[in-house]
Amino acid sequence: MRIVVALGGNALLRRGDLPHRLKDVGGAPIDADVQRANAVRVATALAALAHEHDLVITHGNTPQLGLLAHESVADRSLTGPYPVDLLGAQTQGLIGTLLVRGLRDALPGRRVVALLTHTQVRGDDPAFERPTEPVGPAYPDNVADFLVAEHGWVMARTRGGRRRMVPAPQPERVLECDSVRVLLETGGVVVCAGGGGVPVVSDGVTGALRGVEAVVDKDLAAARLAEDVKADFLLVLTDVPKIYAGHGTPDRRPVLDVTPAELRAAGYDPATMGPKAEAAARFVENTGQLAAIGALDAAYEIVHGRSGTLVRPDLPVA
């Protein structure tokens, strides 16, 4: 079976590893050893699946992207901060090397490859008119006002200060999907599409690629990639064991089995479970295959039906 795994953004920086607010000066550092240790945890959780199935691993990058964005703004040797697409590419390398090392140790003799991946988006995507995704730390008003005036950034008030907002366009195509398929056919484990992939638009005349100041939702990109590589299963891993209906209410209950229509009708929070639910729904609807959502440490049990929330096709109307 061919499985695409979408690791949550906290796979390498879990809750508690990252301070709630990175200050604009002197923020608490995140030790690389924390990320190394979490990469080992990821590799351990996925090794059993890799022994039995073809595996493509995607991952989030929100904490790492925020750290690099903060460093870029604070670096006085630069004439201006690095664009978000290039910072995203840096996170693919950072997280990719940690995961490759961990997986090679857990899978001795197995070919493991991290592939820098680009995701094509539409230049006329409505998201470019409505930046909604926070990138980087929260800044006090005086610093935020300076960044708006200096760089034309869109800033929004959040808990602890104002944060930069960038667009989140829909993924149209993962440009390296053919290379991913070739690597899978040679028995490799592939790490790719980190942070949703580097967002690019294509010139309509020449086909030349141009990076854009945006981020692509990593779960939606994983669903797109899973379709493109003809995956049999999309496994969305997070830090909860399954989806819960009525979250935060006395009627909270686990959802063990659900269809795309039921997922959408539930209206999950767009800041947390919503994108994961939508990614699973899209993949199942478009392919007729299965998806599941659950906890990283239960990855093997989820695929074998013993944990998590299974997302299956809607039954045909009789």
Side-chain angles (χ1 to χ4, degrees), residues 120-121 200-210:
Q120 187 171 331
V121 301
V200 294
V201 295
S202 176
D203 184 280
V205 177
T206 67
L209 299 178
R210 173 175 58 85

Side-chain angles (χ1 to χ4, degrees), residues 241-246 251-257 268 308-309:
K242 54 184 66 67
I243 292 177
Y244 290 90
D251 298 325
R252 178 178 180 267
R253 60 179 178 80
V255 177
L256 305 181
D257 183 272
Y268 291 102
T309 298

Side-chain angles (χ1 to χ4, degrees), residues 20-51:
H20 172 69
R21 178 174 179 234
L22 287 174
K23 300 177 182 177
D24 58 311
V25 177
I30 304 301
D31 199 314
D33 285 343
V34 173
Q35 299 192 61
R36 291 191 188 99
N38 286 333
V40 171
R41 173 174 172 255
V42 168
T44 301
L46 298 182
L49 284 179
H51 282 304

